[in-house]
Every structure is written in C-alpha cells, then in structure tokens.
Amino acid sequence: MKIGIIGSGHIGGTLARRLRALGHDVTVTNSRGPQSLTELAAETGATAGTLEETVQGSELVVIAVPLRAVPDLPAALFDGKLVVDADNYYPERDGEIPELLDRSLTSSRWTAEHLKGARVVKVFNTIRAQHLMDNGRPAGAPDRIGLPVAGDDPAAKQMVMELVDELGFDPVDGGTLDASWRQQPGAPVYGADRDADGVRQGLAAARP
C-alpha cells in the first residue's frame, strides 16, 4: 500500500520503520521539511516528501503530530482520503481547546471536523511507541496486544484493522469517532497493553 505519514516523532517514526519493513511504500513529512528527514529515509527506505506529496500520493495517511497542529493542515488536501488519527489531546502541550476540555467532542471528531471530507479512523493512540516497535506478535499468540480502532466509515475501518493485524496486533472495534473517548488518555485501555478481550472489557468499563 502507498502510505503517507505526517509527523516523524515517536509514533510517526516508528510506523515508518514498521510499515517499510512490511514492504509498504511509505512517504514521510514533517513541519521542518524533507531535508530534516534524510536520516530516517536512509535508515528505512521511506521517501521524504512535502506535505502535498505525502498526502496526494497515498492511499492511507497517518497523522501523528501534536493535536494543536491539526488546524494548520489544509483540509482540501485530505478530501476523500483515508486518514488514520494517531493523536491524543494533552492540554499541557496543546493548550486549552474548550470543546476537548469539557469533552463535548472527542479529539478524533474534532480532527474530522477540521478535515471535512476525509474518512478518519482512530488508532495507535493507546500504545507506547517502543511497544508498537517491538511487541507485535503473530495472530493467535497468547501475548498479542489489542488495539482499539474507531471510525464512522466501515470500509475505512476494515482496511485499517487489516493493517493493525499485519503489524502484529489484534484490532478491536472501538465504535464510532464519537465513542472514541473510550480510548483517549485516562481511559482504562490507554497505555495498558491489554489483549483483545481486555481491550473490549476496558472500552465497556470506560466512564465519561
């Protein structure tokens, strides 16, 4: 698959490494420009690109940037794109966003409203980057970690769930974007590395 990754930090860089190792065609961009990605590109075989190149040439685009940067993304560029939202809202980093502070919106719904026309799917926000790098396991392994996947578009969600499985994790249906508060920071599944049944239990046990 042709995959674009916006963000080269912990999660973005890890996904670039893992997805390239699986044979996917990966293009990475960040706010500092392609020249800052020379080492990552050389290490992984990924392509360093501009934002436009990364999005336009990809079947699936991962957003792994500080949430405060999402409104700066040109929404029209993402029209019709399958977008994987790996972000979390951290007020101490991202500043006060009223609708996220009072939880009237999930961070993924907030992102989807900024990127109208994109098919947004929430995943990779509950796992530490090092565990995403090292802890993938074959299907059926007793210590396989489950990852919740939330989205409104069934076909987009299915495609992302297949990618999660390929990376060595059990995809667990987390419901719609409006239900994705169940996998946000502070929820039982956040950072917990539960198996698939444990993720289902954690999602059900989450409280607003």
Side-chain angles (χ1 to χ4, degrees):
M1 203 182 337
K2 290 187 175 181
I3 297 174
I5 300 176
I6 302 171
S8 58
H10 295 307
I11 293 293
T14 296
L15 284 171
R17 292 174 175 90
R18 290 292 323 277
L19 292 168
R20 275 297 300 141
L22 291 170
H24 294 286
D25 183 351
V26 176
T27 303
V28 185
T29 192
N30 64 15
S31 60
R32 298 183 301 280
Q35 69 281 354
S36 69
L37 296 166
T38 304
E39 287 185 18
L40 181 64
E43 175 196 339
T44 63
T47 301
T50 64
L51 178 64
E52 290 73 17
E53 290 166 345
T54 300
V55 176
Q56 289 172 347
S58 299
E59 301 162 70
L60 180 154
V61 180
V62 178
I63 296 180
V65 298
L67 195 73
R68 65 174 184 268
V70 168
D72 297 331
L73 297 172
L77 191 61
F78 294 83
D79 191 42
K81 289 289 182 180
L82 198 175
V83 171
V84 170
D85 170 22
D87 292 345
N88 285 308
Y89 175 49
Y90 300 115
E92 64 277 11
R93 179 196 66 188
D94 299 312
E96 292 191 5
I97 301 172
E99 56 268 51
L100 300 184
L101 279 174
D102 69 15
R103 292 179 170 257
S104 57
L105 282 184
T106 64
S107 65
S108 286
R109 177 61 67 199
W110 184 84
T111 294
E113 289 191 354
H114 281 289
L115 303 179
K116 289 191 185 299
R119 298 180 295 152
V120 176
V121 178
K122 179 80 162 184
V123 71
F124 303 126
N125 71 300
T126 59
I127 188 169
R128 297 174 189 171
Q130 197 62 52
H131 295 185
L132 181 60
M133 187 71 198
D134 297 335
N135 294 357
R137 299 288 184 268
D143 58 344
R144 204 179 204 219
I145 295 170
L147 296 180
V149 183
D152 298 339
D153 183 311
K157 189 191 288 188
Q158 181 59 37
M159 185 180 294
V160 173
M161 291 176 92
E162 290 171 4
L163 191 64
V164 170
D165 181 58
E166 188 182 359
L167 285 162
F169 302 93
D170 277 333
V172 176
D173 193 331
T176 65
L177 292 182
D178 290 329
S180 65
W181 60 268
R182 296 178 180 275
Q183 65 191 76
Q184 291 183 165
V189 300
Y190 177 76
D193 287 352
R194 299 180 177 213
D195 65 11
D197 284 341
V199 170
R200 293 184 191 98
Q201 292 165 9
L203 292 173
R207 294 293 176 264

